[in-house]
Amino acid sequence: MSVSDSGSATYSEALEGSNAKRGLWSSRLAFILAATGSAVGLGNIWKFPYITGENGGGAFVLVYLLCIAAVGLPIMMAEVLIGRRGGHSPVNSLRLIAERDRLKPAWRMVGAVGVLAGFLILSFYSVIGGWAVSYVGTAASGQLVGQSAEAVGAIFSNLLGDPMTLLLWHTVFMALVMLVVAKGVRAGLERAVSILMPGLFVLLLIAVGYAMTSGEFGRAVSFLFQPDFSKLSTSGILVALGHAFFTLSLGMAVMMAYGSYLPKNVSIAKTSIAVSVIDTGVALLAGLAIFPIVFANGLEPGAGPGLIFQTLPLAFGQMPMGSLFGTLFFVLLIFAAWTSGISLLEPIVEWLEERKGLNRTASTLGAGVVCWALGIASILSLNLWSDFAPLGSIAMFEGKTIFDLLDFFTANILLPLGGLLVAVFAGWVMSREAVEKELALSGPMFRLWYLTIRYFTPVAVAAVFIYNLM
Ligand code: TRP
C-alpha cells in the first residue's frame, strides 16, 4: 500500500485497522460528519443570503451553483485524494507525494497559504460567531416577541455600536474553539453534531414554513431562482467563485487533512458529492427562510452582513413559540459555526506543532490569542472605525472597512489561489496513475474530472482573477 512506504504508521492505516471491527460505514460517516461540520457554518446561513442580496439574486445564485459543481466539487475531490494518498498532515502529504514523484518540495506553499487564510478568516469568523452567541440571550429573554422590523433592526444596530459587548462574545466564541482544539476532543463534538446538524436543518425548515405562510414567498423564490444577468457584475462573479471555496472549506487544505483519515475503499467522489449537496441545501434553505421576510417587511435585500440578524429574529418574534425556536436556532448556529471555527484553527495549530515544535496547548494558545487580537480590528471596523477604508484609494476596495477587506481578501483571493495550486498539483504534478487509482472512478467519469481539474478549473479561476484586476 502506498502510504506505508513512507515508513511510519498513518492515521488512514490505523483507521483501516479499526474498520474491520466497526464496519466501513461508520468511518465513511465519520468523514462526512467532520467534513460537513467544517463546511456547514456561518458561510451558509450568514454569508450566502447577504451576498446573494447584495449581488442581485438569481443570476448570482446560478453562477454560485455552477461554481460549486464545476470548480468546488472537483477541487474538493482533489484535496481529499491528495490527503489520502499522502496519509499525513497537508504540508507533509504534499511534500511526500512531491518528493516521491521526484518533484519540488515547493508545494509546501499550499500549506502556508492555508495557514495564513485560516488565521485571517477565523479572526472575523469569531466576531460573527459572537453575534450568534449574543442572539441566544436576545431570543431567550423574549425581547423579540411581537417586535416590529424597526425594533429588531435597532437591537442589531445597538449590538454593532457596542465594541465591549462585541468583544465579550467574540472572546467567548474564540474560547470555545480554542478549548476543543487544545483538548483534541473533536470526536465527541462531531458525534454531537450528528444530532445537532439535523436539528439545525429542521429549524431552518420551520423558518421556511413560517416564511411560506407569512412572508412574500413567491417573490423570494423568483428573486433567488430567476436569473437576471443585468444585475450581476464582474465582481459578483468573483464573489460567487470565492464563496464556493469558502462554503465548502476549500483552498486551505482542510479537506486534505480530513482526507488522510479516509479509508482507501471509500469513494472520494460519492462522499464529496454528499458533502457538497448537504452544504448547498443548507444555504438555499437559509435563503428561502430569509428573503420572504425581507420582502414582506420592505427591508433591503442588499442590507449587508446584518441581513440574517435583521430578518430571522423578526420571524421568531412573530411565530408561535418563537422565543423557544429562536433560542434553539441560535444555539444550533453556534454549534455549526463552532465546528467550522475548529477546522480553521486546527491546521494552524498542527503547523505550529510540526514546524515550531510547540506542544498542543502552547500552539493553541499562541495561535488563538493572535487570532483573537486581530478580531478586535474587525470589531472596531463595525463601529469606531466604520469610516476607515485602509485601501480605499484602490477602486476595487473603495469603501471597504478592515472587516470587509479581510473577508474579501481571504474568500476571493487566498482561497481560490490555494484551490488553484491544489488543482495544478492533482492535475499536473501527481502522476496520472496515482490519481486514477485514488479516485477509482469509471473511465469516462475519471476523464471528465481529469479534464476539469487540469484545464477548466485553473483557467476559470485565473480568468476570473484577471478579469477582475482589469
Ligand atoms: N465553510 C465554513 C463556512 O461556510 C467556513 C470554513 C471553515 C472554511 N473551515 C474553512 C472556509 C476552511 C475555508 C477554508 O462557514
Side-chain angles (χ1 to χ4, degrees), residues 38-39 41-44 121 125 245-247 249-250 252 254 340 343-344 415:
S38 168
L42 295 169
N44 308 64
I121 296 176
Y125 201 87
F245 286 96
F246 187 89
T247 193
S249 297
L250 299 177
M252 237 192 78
V254 167
S340 302
S343 79
L344 286 161
L415 298 181

Side-chain angles (χ1 to χ4, degrees), residues 34 36-43 117-119 121-127 129 173-181 186 189-190 197 246 249 252 254 258 333-349 364 367-368 371:
T36 38
S38 168
V40 176
L42 295 169
F119 243 124
I121 296 176
L122 184 57
S123 76
F124 69 83
Y125 201 87
S126 168
V127 174
F173 186 85
M174 200 69 196
L176 285 174
V177 169
M178 287 166 66
L179 191 78
V180 175
V181 173
R186 300 279 311 258
L189 188 70
E190 252 131 39
M197 284 284 205
F246 187 89
S249 297
M252 237 192 78
V254 167
Y258 291 172
L333 182 59
I334 293 170
F335 274 98
W338 195 5
T339 47
S340 302
I342 291 163
S343 79
L344 286 161
L345 185 57
E346 183 81 32
I348 311 171
V349 168
T364 309
C371 240

Side-chain angles (χ1 to χ4, degrees), residues 41-60:
L42 295 169
N44 308 64
I45 292 168
W46 160 72
K47 196 172 173 192
F48 171 74
Y50 102 71
I51 56 176
T52 297
E54 282 184 343
N55 288 285
F60 176 84

Side-chain angles (χ1 to χ4, degrees), residues 247-402:
T247 193
L248 294 177
S249 297
L250 299 177
M252 237 192 78
V254 167
M255 293 299 163
M256 218 182 277
Y258 291 172
S260 69
Y261 298 81
L262 192 66
K264 286 278 176 192
N265 45 8
V266 172
S267 159
I268 289 177
K270 280 188 202 151
T271 35
S272 302
I273 291 172
V275 174
S276 307
V277 167
I278 295 171
D279 187 79
T280 308
V282 173
L284 293 178
L285 272 185
L288 285 173
I290 285 155
F291 285 105
I293 302 164
V294 170
F295 293 124
N297 291 281
L299 300 168
E300 182 49 56
L307 191 65
I308 71 156
F309 296 92
Q310 288 156 327
T311 49
L312 288 180
L314 197 59
F316 290 126
Q318 284 163 10
M319 68 174 71
M321 299 205 293
S323 291
L324 175 69
F325 286 145
T327 310
L328 262 177
F329 174 83
F330 287 109
V331 169
L332 294 171
L333 182 59
I334 293 170
F335 274 98
W338 195 5
T339 47
S340 302
I342 291 163
S343 79
L344 286 161
L345 185 57
E346 183 81 32
I348 311 171
V349 168
E350 273 173 21
W351 183 80
L352 283 175
E353 284 179 315
E354 260 174 29
R355 298 293 295 277
K356 307 284 167 208
L358 295 173
N359 68 30
R360 194 159 189 92
T361 314
S363 306
T364 309
L365 258 180
V369 168
V370 176
C371 240
W372 172 86
L374 189 58
I376 296 176
S378 287
I379 288 179
L380 292 174
S381 73
L382 297 168
N383 36 68
L384 301 176
W385 296 352
S386 62
D387 294 326
F388 177 45
L391 300 174
S393 52
I394 304 167
M396 199 177 183
F397 302 127
E398 202 188 314
K400 283 194 159 49
T401 63
I402 295 177

